[in-house]
Amino acid sequence: MSLFRRRPRVHVPFDEGCHAAEAPALQRGIVQALGHDARAGRLVPAELEVVRGREGRLALVWRQAFVGFVPADRVGELRGRLDALDRRAVALVPGAVLPMPAPAAPDAPWRVWIGPVPDAIPPVPEGLDTLAVPERTILGVPVSKLRAPG
C-alpha cells in the first residue's frame, strides 16, 4: 500500500444533461471556482466530481469548491453507476458552468450544467432550488448592519 498513490479517476456516463440544484445558494463558491473565467461571462467547460453526501444526496465539486447538487429526480440514475465503482475512485461527469440568462449581464447568476452541453440550454425547472440565498457578510457581520441608517 502506498500512501501517496493517487485515487483512480473514472468518467461516469451521464447521457441526458440537467441543471444542478441549489446554484443561487452556492453562488459564492461557483464564482470563487470560476476565478478569472467569471469576467468572460460565457460558458466554461467543467469536469465535475460527484461526491456522496448526507441523506443520499450527491454533491458536485469543481476546482475544489462545492458548486451544486444532483437534482433529486436524477440521483437514482447516477447512484446506480457510482455503486458499481470502487469506493476509492473519483467519479467524474462532464458539465459546464454558465451564466443565466445568456447573454450574461455583469451580475448574472451562474448555473452548473451536468452532462453533455446541448446547443440550447433549457430554462431552469421550477422548484429546483430550495436553499435560501445567504446574506452578504464582511468578516461574519451582515452588510445590512454595517450601513448607516438613513
Side-chain angles (χ1 to χ4, degrees):
M1 179 173 131
S2 173
L3 293 175
F4 301 108
R5 184 179 311 164
R6 293 185 67 165
R7 294 172 34 189
R9 299 167 61 85
V10 179
H11 291 273
V12 178
F14 197 76
D15 305 325
E16 193 176 320
C18 63
H19 287 282
E22 311 304 351
L26 297 171
Q27 278 301 297
R28 197 170 296 145
I30 294 170
V31 172
Q32 269 185 315
L34 276 166
H36 292 294
D37 290 331
R39 293 187 188 134
R42 63 177 182 267
L43 183 139
V44 178
E47 189 175 60
L48 304 166
E49 179 182 348
V50 181
V51 181
R52 291 174 177 89
R54 285 190 189 173
E55 301 172 6
R57 295 194 92 183
L58 296 177
L60 299 168
V61 177
W62 180 56
R63 295 182 179 173
Q64 300 178 350
F66 283 99
V67 294
F69 294 93
V70 175
D73 60 335
R74 304 294 299 273
V75 167
E77 169 190 347
L78 198 52
R79 182 171 298 287
R81 294 177 181 160
L82 291 178
D83 290 342
L85 298 177
D86 178 18
R87 293 289 288 175
R88 293 182 346 99
V90 176
L92 302 170
V93 293
V97 179
L98 58 148
M100 291 296 281
D107 58 348
W110 291 85
R111 298 292 313 196
V112 177
W113 181 264
I114 312 166
V117 181
D119 293 334
I121 302 290
V124 179
E126 288 293 322
L128 184 64
D129 304 316
T130 57
L131 294 176
V133 177
E135 187 175 0
R136 292 183 52 167
T137 62
I138 297 175
L139 299 173
V141 178
V143 173
S144 60
K145 296 192 184 231
L146 295 175
R147 293 190 180 136

